[in-house]
Amino acid sequence: MNYEDFFTNRSTSEISKDLLGRTLSFNNGNEILSGTIVEAEAYVGVKDRAAHSYGGRRSQANEGLYRPGGSLYIYSQRQYFFFDVACQAAGEPQGVLIRAIDPLTGIDTMIKNRNGKTGPLLTNGPGKMMQALGITSRKWDLARLEDSPFDIDINHKRKIEEITALPRVGINQSDPKWAKKKLRFIVAGNPYVSDIKKKDVKKNHGFI
DNA sequence: AGATGGATTTTCT
DNA sequence: GAAAATCCATCTA
């Protein structure tokens, strides 16, 4: 299995769901920072009102979405960066946004990168996650996953008790049809999922 | 625990 | 000039 196969050949929601439980890692040149993906959102292209590629919108800023599955689309907003992987064949601008990871290695460095924050505050949101990894530029935008310091383990994943589908976060509500679509997938009960309620957190973090 | 408003910067109109 | 796939401090209960 290679990245291009993994990120094409099935729907972007299926790909997003299948990313849960897999390890995302970043080699900062000194050590490997990594964590288990516990939250991801699908953006399904030109018909998706909430996608950056809605209506075929295309510019230097969102070019990554138009690249073949397995290409990186890194984008910035309000001093924060977002990590997306393009899905589907070249020219079909769909993608998955990785929103949160349950940290595994390099945790001390993540705490430093996050100015002393600890626990779920480390990585329970897309901007926070990238800050924890120490990403401060769009340097790797448009790169292929296999040619970047990022890695997603597509050969192994942790067993998950239950996956929940929810509406996506922070998107324009002017078109309820798309705003309400359940294209956000989470590991139920994991404390690193953004906005999870304390009472919903499970002791095993949602893994078996 | 839930709600509100400010910060800040890239990108497009 | 305004909007944006966010985050955080601060308020109220």
Side-chain angles (χ1 to χ4, degrees):
Chain A
M1 176 74 95
N2 59 44
Y3 286 128
E4 180 143 7
D5 285 339
F6 186 93
F7 289 101
T8 57
N9 302 319
R10 50 197 173 140
S11 76
T12 300
S13 349
E14 279 180 83
I15 296 166
S16 305
K17 240 184 288 188
D18 194 18
L19 283 171
L20 300 181
R22 298 186 185 276
T23 302
L24 169 69
S25 56
F26 173 68
N27 184 338
N28 68 7
N30 191 36
E31 62 181 329
I32 308 285
L33 308 179
S34 69
T36 307
I37 298 169
V38 296
E39 179 174 6
E41 285 180 354
Y43 287 87
V44 297
V46 297
K47 62 179 187 295
D48 183 353
R49 197 61 189 276
H52 289 162
S53 53
Y54 172 68
R57 238 183 99 216
R58 183 171 189 168
S59 71
Q60 230 170 22
N62 71 356
E63 180 64 21
L65 284 172
Y66 288 83
R67 297 292 176 93
S71 303
L72 297 182
Y73 169 41
I74 293 174
Y75 128 92
S76 71
Q77 175 193 70
R78 291 180 176 81
Q79 189 70 354
Y80 294 98
F81 291 86
F82 298 72
F83 183 83
D84 291 48
V85 184
C87 295
Q88 309 312 330
E92 177 57 48
Q94 304 196 24
V96 52
L97 167 70
I98 311 295
R99 288 187 55 91
I101 57 175
D102 189 334
L104 291 170
T105 66
I107 295 176
D108 290 343
T109 301
M110 292 191 199
I111 293 172
K112 285 195 194 87
N113 289 340
R114 288 278 295 139
N115 302 312
K117 299 271 185 350
T118 60
L121 291 176
L122 229 40
T123 53
N124 67 343
K128 301 181 201 182
M129 181 187 84
M130 290 295 261
Q131 196 177 57
L133 296 180
I135 311 300
T136 55
S137 79
R138 294 181 62 196
K139 180 174 178 187
W140 297 105
D141 182 44
L142 306 182
R144 293 286 309 164
L145 209 38
E146 54 267 51
D147 298 327
S148 79
F150 292 96
D151 182 88
I152 292 174
D153 188 343
I154 54 176
N155 297 310
H156 308 91
K157 72 168 158 178
R158 293 170 78 174
K159 287 198 170 60
I160 296 164
E161 226 165 53
E162 186 189 351
I163 291 175
T164 307
L166 299 165
R168 293 170 292 185
V169 175
I171 59 179
N172 194 333
Q173 299 294 311
S174 62
D175 186 343
K177 176 176 174 290
W178 282 99
K180 288 177 183 162
K181 262 199 192 316
K182 295 184 172 177
L183 292 173
R184 169 187 174 219
F185 304 98
I186 69 166
V187 174
N190 188 280
Y192 289 85
V193 169
S194 53
D195 292 331
I196 193 171
K197 293 186 183 73
K198 205 171 178 182
K199 69 175 173 56
D200 293 333
V201 171
K202 299 177 190 169
K203 220 168 193 173
N204 62 5
H205 286 206
F207 300 114
I208 295 171

